Amino acid sequence: LEVSQGAQPPIPSLLSPTVTSEQIEHLHRRFKQLSQDQLTIRKENFDSIPDLEFNPIRGKIVHAFFDKRNLRQESDGLADEINFEDFLTIMSYFRPIEMNMDEEQLDRFRKEKLKFLFHMYDSDHDGKITLQEYRNVVEELLSGNPHLEKESARSIADGAMMEAASICVGQMGPDQVYEGITFEDFLKMWQGIDIETKMHVRFLNMETIAHCY
Amino acid sequence: MEVLWAAARVGAVWLAVVLGLIVLPSALGVSLGISEAYMWVLVKTLEWATIRIERGVKKPWPLKTSTGNGIIERDETPMEKGIARLNTMDFEFSDIFYFCRKGFEAIVEDAVTQRFSSEELLSWNLLTRTNVNFHYISLRLTIVWVIGVVVRYCFLLPLRITLATIGIMSMIVGTTLVGQLPNSSVKNYLSEVVHLTCSRILVRALSGTIRYHNKENRPKKGGICVANHTSPIDAIILTNDGCYAMVGQVHGGLMGVIQRATVKACPHVWFERSEVKDRHLVMKRLREHVADESKLPILIFPEGTCINNTSVMMFKKGSFEIGGTIYPVAIKYDPQFGDAFWNSSKYNIVSYLLRIMTSWAIVCNVWYLPPMVREPDEDAVQFANRVRSAIAHQGGLTELPWDGGLKRAKVKDTFREEQQKNYSKMLVRNGSIG
């Protein structure tokens, strides 16, 4: 295979065998494009994608690529740059479901995706989504509209947190403080709701077709 | 001494052959059929190569189906449906899902950056530069490839360089001579002859095979000709079949010499660098030119930059505010024989020309579309989009609303804020807020 930067890195086990080598090659080419032929990508490299500019949570998405919790490293914090293997690791969170998955695999799958999302909310990495962190996310989603004041964003966030609290903790006493949504609470909130089909990117099937001029 | 004489004789024979077989027919506008024969041999060879590649493959080998449209299934649901509420919560985590997915799709592949790199081929055309996916197949194929290299670099390249030199020289000399004449119909006629001849020589210098469709719609005097832009040789492709007044910035070097010479013979519109900044001045000069019915039609490329010929990007509205009749032209290159796209961030003009001259050929189709005029209730932007649709439709190119300037710059903030406003409006409407 034509890989100009030496041998291809080992494919993370989460991806194989459902991702073909062709798709890996495509992603590698895309990686090279984004990194401008360097071996690693930095945050600045994501600035060159026009489609991404439109995304209100662009910051959080890019951040997710460098979040060490997503990169399966035991350490915490943010990486400065990621290589192709890390890139593939993050991509693996968006695998579509396969037909032949059993219960346990499906459950693990779902947890992985929800964990990814949880990390996106939990920006201080303390394992809880606090009210302030939730407000941050809402504000980002609504940023850019001059007609919406900060107050509206806050009230949305507060309302959602209250709802979350009632699902997770039930009735709270008058002096009880809900500290934040833990990952278990997060899972509870999404029980029974199908998120797997919302959070995947499906590759087109590359068929063998010969062309003759 | 002997060697020098022998070399001189070979050189003279070479020159005589070139002049007789190529330059003279160009001047007279006839074709000796040499290019056609060459193309026939080329097509047969490539067909053979493709069959051998397929036969040589042991396991089913994924050849791409349509490379122009990307590798992932994009979710085209509009924002409203995508954020359908999953449960009763007012403001949803589900909005996060939607934007997350969109973000990932954009990161894996975006429709814009694709257009600034060369189109990928479905089957190999025996040029290593397009050899991105293809492996070693067989000895015979490799031998053919080696022969191809020899033919291209040792025979075609010197031939083409000779022709290009002759073409440019005659252009400069010819137009300077014609420029000495006083303004008259004779001068115009001679200037047309010179321009056409030199264009034809230059097209042959690139081994260009051009097919013109709908010649009855060819741009007439006093009109504006508008075309999609893929490379600097677009202008030569078009002037091969008619005379135009070029519009552009004054360059230095060889290009500047050509510009100064040709403007004496024919009223091309060259702008100094300082004048280009002043939009009103530019418009005024172009309007004056178009208003004069006896002047040749002007040639403009409204995309402003080279795109890789799989899509048509945003047309700048300036050309469409001048008035007059617009004659749209669609140019589509066949990438199998040579890649005409100029990736200006990767190659400079000299290496680009060398690549063109060491390809097999430049094959393209040119369609002249029926003239269009701006409707009274249309503004320039809508008119520009209408013309662009017509060109994209004819040439089989996709339309993108993006600005070609994105090759070098980032998305304008105003564009991004539009999108965010849309999203917030939707939240308000759904009663989530207030």
Side-chain angles (χ1 to χ4, degrees), chain B residues 59-77:
Chain B
K59 64 177 175 84
W61 180 36
L63 288 175
K64 292 183 255 306
T65 54
S66 162
T67 51
N69 291 326
I71 57 173
I72 53 173
E73 196 177 296
R74 305 289 298 241
D75 182 16
E76 299 293 339
T77 54

Side-chain angles (χ1 to χ4, degrees), chain A residues 1-2 22 25-27 29-30 33-34 46-57 61 65 87 90-91 94 114 116-117 120-121 134 137-138 141-146 148 152 156 160 163 181 186 189-190 193 195 197-204 206-213, chain B residues 47 50-51 54 60-65 70-74 82 84 86-89 91 93-97 99-113 117 120 122-123 131-133 135 334 336 402 406 410-411 415-417 419-421 423-425 427-428 432-433:
Chain A
L1 284 176
E2 178 92 345
E22 244 254 337
E25 214 189 302
H26 270 293
L27 284 173
R29 246 180 284 152
R30 178 62 173 166
Q33 212 177 40
L34 288 174
F46 286 98
D47 289 346
S48 61
I49 307 176
D51 273 347
L52 201 54
E53 292 291 309
F54 282 168
N55 208 306
I57 53 167
I61 294 179
F65 273 80
F87 186 71
I90 305 283
M91 282 293 154
F94 275 75
L114 282 171
F116 183 80
L117 218 58
M120 219 185 258
Y121 274 80
Y134 202 124
V137 177
V138 177
L141 274 171
L142 299 180
S143 61
N145 187 333
L148 281 178
S152 319
I156 296 173
E163 178 105 24
I181 310 176
F186 198 71
M189 280 161 61
W190 289 108
I193 296 170
I195 56 120
T197 54
K198 292 239 158 209
M199 228 179 111
H200 72 254
V201 171
R202 194 177 285 281
F203 275 88
L204 285 174
M206 318 276 184
E207 300 245 307
T208 314
I209 296 182
H211 277 252
C212 240
Y213 279 74
Chain B
E47 268 178 17
T50 313
I51 295 177
E54 279 152 26
W61 180 36
L63 288 175
K64 292 183 255 306
T65 54
I71 57 173
I72 53 173
E73 196 177 296
R74 305 289 298 241
L86 287 183
N87 60 21
T88 54
M89 278 204 250
F91 178 67
F93 285 106
S94 54
D95 296 359
I96 282 276
F97 281 138
F99 285 115
C100 232
R101 181 184 174 155
K102 281 281 160 197
F104 261 72
E105 283 174 357
I107 290 175
V108 171
E109 142 192 292
D110 75 281
V112 175
T113 322
S117 59
E120 289 174 9
L122 291 168
S123 60
N131 189 4
V132 180
N133 296 322
H135 327 307
D334 187 345
Q336 189 69 9
W402 294 92
L406 284 177
K410 288 178 58 173
V411 177
F415 219 13
R416 179 180 5 163
E417 278 155 16
Q419 194 77 355
Q420 287 176 326
K421 268 192 219 144
Y423 173 63
S424 317
K425 259 189 240 157
L427 281 180
V428 176
S432 313
I433 307 173

Side-chain angles (χ1 to χ4, degrees), chain B residues 305-360:
Chain B
T305 186
C306 294
I307 314 290
N308 78 345
N309 209 236
T310 56
S311 71
V312 184
M313 291 214 177
M314 187 175 97
F315 275 6
K316 298 202 185 337
K317 63 177 173 128
S319 335
F320 300 89
E321 288 172 335
I322 305 174
T325 324
I326 301 271
Y327 295 89
V329 175
I331 307 177
K332 179 82 176 104
Y333 291 90
D334 187 345
Q336 189 69 9
F337 299 99
D339 180 24
F341 166 59
W342 182 29
N343 192 344
S344 50
S345 37
K346 235 175 148 188
Y347 306 106
N348 62 13
I349 183 79
V350 177
S351 39
Y352 167 71
L353 285 173
L354 274 177
R355 277 167 64 93
I356 292 274
M357 290 197 187
T358 52
S359 314
W360 294 118

Side-chain angles (χ1 to χ4, degrees), chain A residues 10-206:
Chain A
I11 304 169
S13 59
L14 196 67
L15 277 182
S16 62
T18 53
V19 180
T20 66
S21 58
E22 244 254 337
Q23 290 160 357
I24 302 262
E25 214 189 302
H26 270 293
L27 284 173
H28 190 243
R29 246 180 284 152
R30 178 62 173 166
F31 181 84
K32 274 203 286 186
Q33 212 177 40
L34 288 174
S35 72
Q36 283 157 7
D37 286 330
Q38 305 295 315
L39 284 170
T40 56
I41 291 187
R42 301 172 157 271
K43 276 205 180 154
E44 299 81 63
N45 294 114
F46 286 98
D47 289 346
S48 61
I49 307 176
D51 273 347
L52 201 54
E53 292 291 309
F54 282 168
N55 208 306
I57 53 167
R58 181 187 172 280
K60 292 244 182 288
I61 294 179
V62 173
H63 194 96
F65 273 80
F66 296 88
D67 190 337
K68 284 199 183 159
R69 297 174 294 175
N70 293 335
L71 295 173
R72 298 170 199 290
Q73 291 161 20
E74 294 317 317
S75 56
D76 201 6
L78 282 181
D80 283 329
E81 48 186 22
I82 53 172
N83 59 23
F84 184 54
E85 195 181 338
D86 299 327
F87 186 71
L88 283 184
T89 311
I90 305 283
M91 282 293 154
S92 67
Y93 286 103
F94 275 75
R95 280 170 70 207
I97 321 175
E98 302 299 316
M99 290 296 111
N100 54 357
M101 281 184 164
D102 61 17
E103 275 290 326
E104 194 200 315
Q105 274 181 310
L106 274 174
D107 192 50
R108 189 160 47 102
F109 212 59
R110 199 186 146 86
K111 270 219 182 89
E112 294 276 344
K113 293 194 188 232
L114 282 171
K115 192 124 212 211
F116 183 80
L117 218 58
F118 186 79
H119 289 159
M120 219 185 258
Y121 274 80
D122 180 23
S123 39
D124 62 1
H125 301 215
D126 66 353
K128 285 201 286 276
I129 304 177
T130 60
L131 182 60
Q132 192 50 51
E133 284 169 343
Y134 202 124
R135 280 182 188 158
N136 282 343
V137 177
V138 177
E139 271 164 22
E140 248 184 59
L141 274 171
L142 299 180
S143 61
N145 187 333
H147 301 298
L148 281 178
E149 290 126 25
K150 260 200 153 156
E151 276 312 308
S152 319
R154 293 186 101 186
S155 61
I156 296 173
D158 295 354
M161 281 297 274
M162 289 235 273
E163 178 105 24
S166 68
I167 292 181
C168 308
V169 184
Q171 282 291 49
M172 289 200 299
D175 49 353
Q176 257 187 307
V177 169
Y178 185 50
E179 278 170 10
I181 310 176
T182 62
F183 187 54
E184 282 71 38
D185 296 342
F186 198 71
L187 285 178
K188 240 189 271 179
M189 280 161 61
W190 289 108
Q191 220 164 34
I193 296 170
D194 166 33
I195 56 120
E196 292 85 346
T197 54
K198 292 239 158 209
M199 228 179 111
H200 72 254
V201 171
R202 194 177 285 281
F203 275 88
L204 285 174
N205 197 359
M206 318 276 184

Side-chain angles (χ1 to χ4, degrees), chain B residues 179-338:
Chain B
Q180 307 303 324
L181 297 172
N183 283 350
S184 65
S185 53
V186 176
K187 176 180 180 185
N188 290 343
Y189 173 69
L190 282 176
S191 139
E192 274 184 35
V193 167
V194 170
H195 277 97
L196 274 174
T197 311
C198 298
S199 270
R200 291 198 193 115
I201 298 178
L202 287 172
V203 165
R204 279 175 169 77
L206 302 167
S207 294
T209 304
I210 311 172
R211 216 174 302 142
Y212 297 96
H213 304 262
N214 307 334
K215 281 198 184 184
E216 66 272 9
N217 291 328
R218 227 190 301 189
K220 300 192 178 37
K221 293 200 171 145
I224 304 174
C225 178
V226 155
N228 58 319
H229 200 30
T230 306
S231 105
I233 60 175
D234 285 343
I236 304 177
I237 303 275
L238 286 178
T239 53
N240 190 39
D241 192 44
C243 284
Y244 299 90
M246 307 280 192
V247 174
Q249 219 180 46
V250 169
H251 290 92
L254 181 61
M255 195 64 218
V257 174
I258 300 178
Q259 284 177 323
R260 276 192 293 275
T262 51
V263 82
K264 291 197 189 98
C266 171
H268 298 297
V269 187
W270 304 124
F271 290 103
E272 299 291 333
R273 192 152 290 206
S274 49
E275 288 174 328
V276 170
K277 301 264 171 55
D278 185 352
R279 272 198 70 212
H280 292 288
L281 187 65
V282 171
M283 299 293 273
K284 186 161 157 297
R285 269 183 78 178
L286 290 175
R287 278 211 187 94
E288 280 166 4
H289 186 108
V290 169
D292 188 347
E293 286 280 322
S294 67
K295 292 223 169 116
L296 295 168
I298 53 177
L299 180 57
I300 294 186
F301 297 104
E303 278 164 313
T305 186
C306 294
I307 314 290
N308 78 345
N309 209 236
T310 56
S311 71
V312 184
M313 291 214 177
M314 187 175 97
F315 275 6
K316 298 202 185 337
K317 63 177 173 128
S319 335
F320 300 89
E321 288 172 335
I322 305 174
T325 324
I326 301 271
Y327 295 89
V329 175
I331 307 177
K332 179 82 176 104
Y333 291 90
D334 187 345
Q336 189 69 9
F337 299 99

